[in-house]
Amino acid sequence: MAKLKGIIKLEGTLDNLTFYKAKEGYLVKTKGGVSKERIQNDPAFERTRENGSEFGSSASSGKLLRTSVRNLMIRAKDNRVSSRVTQKMTQIKNFDTTSVRGQRNVATGLATPEGKATLKGLDFNNRAILSAVLFAPFTVDGATGEITIPNLTPANDIAYPSGATHVSLSSAFLKVDFDTTDNAIEYSPTVNIPIDSTSASQTLTPAGVPTGTGNDIYLLLVEFFQEINGVQYPLKNGAYNVLNIVEVA
């Protein structure tokens, strides 16, 4: 792989060279490798086909999760969240010890304690990790999805970014079936409080219990704002916001 320099930037294929744009700039590489037809049909590449099938399934499960929580994720995410979620789903798929190779899947992996533990704690914004932002203990009611943070003192219990004057807390109760792709989600009202030394218990209760089959996933969203002349503005376009999977059942 080589880096393309000069005023002319190319994308596409020319003879045996492929020009493309990546994060590092405009790059060029030679064509090569095994043909797609051979990979799809040659018995020697059976393991490759199995790995490809499982990776595709894991990627689809990751997309399903991201789509299910999109209304929250647009307020707290990083630019690598898609690949990180897919990586997490691949790890969960590995806990499927019953399906044959090539058919291991996330739904079966999440039926295990190890699979649930792997998904629990996932941060959708790696610039703002829940364990480094919220230091107050909290509890999750598995039946209702209610998250309770007793005696929260924002100035002491939250690591808030410079310039933040207020913090908002909200939760969600997601039910998602990674086998059928059915999903439903319920949100709690948002609690918005000033970042000061006032201590009060905060309760985040979703509007209802989502229906359907699959796994129960509980999420907590922490957002920061700066108040100017009575109007609150998202701080740094949400760069410091937290979205975390706090429990999986």
Side-chain angles (χ1 to χ4, degrees):
M1 179 178 66
K3 190 171 184 179
L4 187 64
K5 294 184 177 180
I7 60 174
I8 299 177
K9 306 302 182 184
L10 302 175
E11 292 187 54
T13 301
L14 179 63
D15 291 332
N16 289 323
L17 298 177
T18 298
F19 300 86
Y20 62 101
K21 184 179 180 181
K23 182 179 179 181
E24 298 81 5
Y26 287 86
L27 306 177
V28 58
K29 64 180 179 181
T30 58
K31 293 177 63 178
V34 182
S35 69
K36 179 180 178 181
E37 181 180 358
R38 184 181 175 191
I39 292 176
Q40 291 177 336
N41 298 286
D42 192 331
F45 289 92
E46 183 177 0
R47 297 286 88 81
T48 302
R49 291 193 293 273
E50 292 170 350
N51 292 337
S53 176
E54 291 186 349
F55 178 80
S57 175
S58 297
S60 295
S61 293
K63 183 178 180 180
L64 174 61
L65 176 62
R66 298 195 316 273
T67 301
S68 300
V69 300
R70 181 182 180 278
N71 289 341
L72 300 175
M73 201 178 74
I74 57 177
R75 290 138 68 183
K77 66 176 181 177
D78 61 78
N79 59 6
R80 298 286 186 181
V81 65
S82 296
S83 59
R84 290 193 301 105
V85 171
T86 296
Q87 182 182 47
K88 188 71 67 174
M89 293 299 171
T90 299
Q91 294 170 355
I92 293 169
K93 170 266 300 178
N94 291 337
F95 291 112
D96 177 357
T97 59
T98 59
S99 303
V100 298
R101 187 160 52 181
Q103 296 180 24
R104 292 179 300 171
N105 59 86
V106 169
T108 305
L110 269 178
T112 67
E114 296 84 359
K116 294 182 178 69
T118 298
L119 185 58
K120 179 180 177 179
L122 172 66
D123 286 288
F124 289 83
N125 182 6
N126 65 2
R127 300 168 298 182
I129 298 173
L130 181 64
S131 61
V133 172
L134 179 65
F135 300 105
F138 59 86
T139 59
V140 181
D141 186 322
T144 65
E146 180 178 276
I147 296 177
T148 303
I149 311 174
N151 303 316
L152 175 68
T153 307
N156 297 331
D157 297 330
I158 296 176
Y160 55 92
S162 176
T165 62
H166 289 72
V167 61
S168 285
L169 305 168
S170 57
S171 69
F173 186 172
L174 168 68
K175 186 177 286 287
V176 57
D177 191 322
F178 289 97
D179 184 23
T180 66
T181 72
D182 291 336
N183 62 92
I185 191 168
E186 296 285 350
Y187 305 96
S188 77
T190 298
V191 174
N192 180 265
I193 53 178
I195 300 174
D196 58 21
S197 297
T198 302
S199 180
S201 295
Q202 305 297 338
T203 302
L204 309 171
T205 307
V209 175
T211 60
T213 59
N215 291 97
D216 294 332
I217 298 176
Y218 309 87
L219 301 106
L220 177 62
L221 175 67
V222 182
E223 302 176 271
F224 293 101
F225 298 87
Q226 183 179 67
E227 184 175 88
I228 300 176
N229 296 330
V231 179
Q232 291 187 28
Y233 299 90
L235 196 66
K236 297 282 187 179
N237 292 320
Y240 301 109
N241 293 347
V242 175
L243 177 60
N244 179 277
I245 293 178
V246 295
E247 190 58 80
V248 180

